[in-house]
Amino acid sequence: MHYKLTEEIIALSDSQAWNFAKLEWDFNFAYYSEDLQTCLCGHYPIRNICVIRNKKNSNQTEVGNCCINKFLGIEDGNKIFTSIKKLKDDNSKSMSAEVIDYIYNKNGISDFEYKFYVDIYRKRNLTPKQLAIKVSINDKFLAFTSYETNSHFNRINLVLKWAENNSSFDKDFILSLKKNCERNGKLSEKQKMALENIITKFKIE
Ligand SMILES: [Zn+2]
């Protein structure tokens, strides 16, 4: 299993030597998949998935949390998965401080929501209104780290990457989809269809 992972990672890296190839990779996103997935190493099933990004060539790939910790030495995913599990059990609980920072830096929550969460973080007794806001932020985090959202982001990023080399393409619509996806945690059916139409029309892959 280990061998298969290193081979796959090296194929996506600049360096052909594993010890250097693995240093090219950084944590990008984490998500929890309701559908069972297969890790790059062949391990099945996995649900806790990290999207990692190569700092040199911008390649991206998805790896199960198992491999991330063991072979790539990237630990950022753990805290996120701990918070996902905790909030799935009870969405009135708190995500960890690192995870609040993570989702804020990824534009998953607004300035207001971030400040609000930090303000109430240590408070034991919340008013019903404060609790409702906290729960809505927690739900946003869960939506943001769901497989569905992340597959939407992948499709959007695919088009944006393609657009870098196709300057005549007007990116405004795609950028508005991205904002929408960040705000709502997902795209509507209509938006999804529009996005797929663009991908088909311009033969983007
Ligand atoms: Zn694995």
Side-chain angles (χ1 to χ4, degrees):
M1 276 196 196
H2 182 183
Y3 180 70
K4 184 150 191 277
L5 175 89
T6 53
E7 207 175 66
E8 298 271 1
I9 294 288
I10 286 171
L12 295 166
S13 303
D14 280 2
S15 173
Q16 298 305 296
W18 168 244
N19 284 337
F20 290 94
K22 70 177 179 184
L23 299 178
E24 295 175 17
W25 294 84
D26 243 351
F27 174 83
N28 191 17
F29 268 102
Y31 68 84
Y32 176 87
S33 173
E34 294 292 346
D35 303 319
L36 300 174
Q37 312 266 331
T38 306
C39 182
L40 216 54
C41 70
H43 182 78
Y44 175 90
I46 54 165
R47 285 185 189 277
N48 291 335
I49 294 159
C50 291
V51 180
I52 54 173
R53 186 187 167 86
N54 188 298
K55 287 175 273 185
K56 294 200 164 164
N57 59 25
S58 299
N59 278 334
Q60 287 201 47
T61 191
E62 301 185 351
V63 184
N65 201 37
C66 46
C67 281
I68 278 268
N69 295 330
K70 247 198 227 160
F71 306 119
L72 289 163
I74 299 171
E75 297 198 1
D76 304 46
N78 287 341
K79 289 169 190 143
I80 297 166
F81 296 123
T82 305
S83 286
I84 292 174
K85 187 167 186 308
K86 191 169 155 196
L87 296 185
K88 268 184 178 288
D89 289 344
D90 180 353
N91 67 354
S92 68
K93 293 223 164 122
S94 299
M95 53 184 125
S96 74
E98 289 94 342
V99 172
I100 298 167
D101 257 31
Y102 162 78
I103 184 153
Y104 177 61
N105 288 328
K106 293 285 182 194
N107 294 318
I109 56 175
S110 66
D111 289 343
F112 167 80
E113 288 167 323
Y114 177 75
K115 285 193 192 111
F116 174 86
Y117 215 100
V118 172
D119 274 350
I120 58 140
Y121 199 58
R122 285 290 165 207
K123 287 206 180 114
R124 273 163 203 245
N125 296 311
L126 299 180
T127 67
K129 199 180 163 200
Q130 286 173 324
L131 184 63
I133 297 174
K134 181 184 178 186
V135 166
S136 78
I137 298 170
N138 284 340
D139 286 343
K140 241 179 168 176
F141 164 71
L142 289 176
F144 193 79
T145 52
S146 76
Y147 178 62
E148 198 191 15
T149 308
N150 282 281
S151 59
H152 292 172
F153 274 125
N154 278 343
R155 303 299 277 170
I156 290 168
N157 287 334
L158 180 77
V159 177
L160 288 176
K161 189 148 194 226
W162 169 86
E164 282 172 15
N165 300 317
N166 294 272
S167 51
S168 60
F169 179 77
D170 183 4
K171 288 188 295 196
D172 287 357
F173 175 65
I174 301 293
L175 290 172
S176 78
L177 283 187
K178 189 168 184 177
K179 264 218 178 91
N180 225 282
C181 198
E182 284 165 354
R183 207 168 31 227
N184 303 323
K186 61 181 172 193
L187 296 177
S188 71
E189 285 305 314
K190 243 189 180 159
Q191 292 171 325
K192 238 188 321 191
M193 221 147 64
L195 178 63
E196 290 308 317
N197 282 342
I198 290 171
I199 291 172
T200 312
K201 185 175 161 200
F202 293 98
K203 299 189 174 70
I204 303 170
E205 46 186 41

